[in-house]
């Protein structure tokens, strides 16, 4: 698994995944509906989540390697996302998930987003959500 993942997430408390798909004229890679449950013992979801993932060209991709995948979705898709966000029916975000396994390694440091992707996000009315997880076992000192 790459240290980075990137995806567009649409969240709505009023629309079902099929409604979002119809408005965007695009299929999600993953979705969950209002009222569905992650597990039977959990309460029903109060919102819909619609996700489209950026595909890494090769293992070890960094955010700048994932940008072309998002940009390939096109400006029409970005404009449809922007219209949906502007309608108030949903929130749109670009999510970057970073898993840091080697805090001293250089490949996992820093997140760079190019100007073209920033313009695409503005058209999409998308916020940026960066989730970072440090998966490192610290050495314990023995006194």
């Amino acid at each position: 698994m790459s240290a980075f993942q990137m995806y567009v997430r649409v969240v709505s408390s009023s629309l079902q995944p099929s409604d979002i798909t119809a408005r965007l004229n695009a299929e999600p890679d993953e979705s969950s509906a209002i009222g569905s449950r992650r597990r039977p013992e959990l309460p029903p979801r109060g919102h819909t989540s619609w996700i489209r993932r950026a595909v890494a060209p090769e293992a070890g991709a960094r955010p700048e390697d994932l940008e072309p995948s998002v940009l390939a979705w096109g400006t029409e898709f970005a404009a449809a996302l922007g219209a949906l966000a502007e309608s108030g029916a949903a929130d749109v975000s670009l999510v970057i998930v970073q898993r840091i396994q080697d805090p001293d390694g250089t490949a996992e440091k820093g997140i760079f987003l190019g100007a073209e992707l920033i313009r695409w996000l503005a058209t999409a009315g998308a916020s940026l959500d960066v989730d970072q997880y440090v998966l490192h076992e610290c050495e314990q000192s023995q006194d």
Side-chain angles (χ1 to χ4, degrees), residues 5-58:
Q5 294 178 334
M6 184 182 291
Y7 56 91
V8 167
R9 178 178 56 208
V10 179
V11 175
S12 175
S13 59
S14 62
L15 301 173
Q16 292 292 353
S18 60
D19 300 324
I20 296 169
T21 296
R23 288 192 184 198
L24 299 179
N25 196 29
E27 292 291 328
D29 292 319
E30 154 186 349
S31 66
S32 60
I34 297 168
S36 66
R37 297 173 191 257
R38 188 172 307 209
R39 291 190 303 268
E41 67 275 11
L42 295 177
R45 289 184 172 100
H47 64 275
T48 288
S49 181
W50 187 102
I51 292 174
R52 171 156 296 176
R53 297 189 180 284
V55 178
E58 57 189 51

Side-chain angles (χ1 to χ4, degrees), residues 72-91:
W73 296 335
T75 54
E76 286 183 25
F77 180 61
L81 286 165
L84 184 57
E86 191 172 307
S87 76
D91 293 317

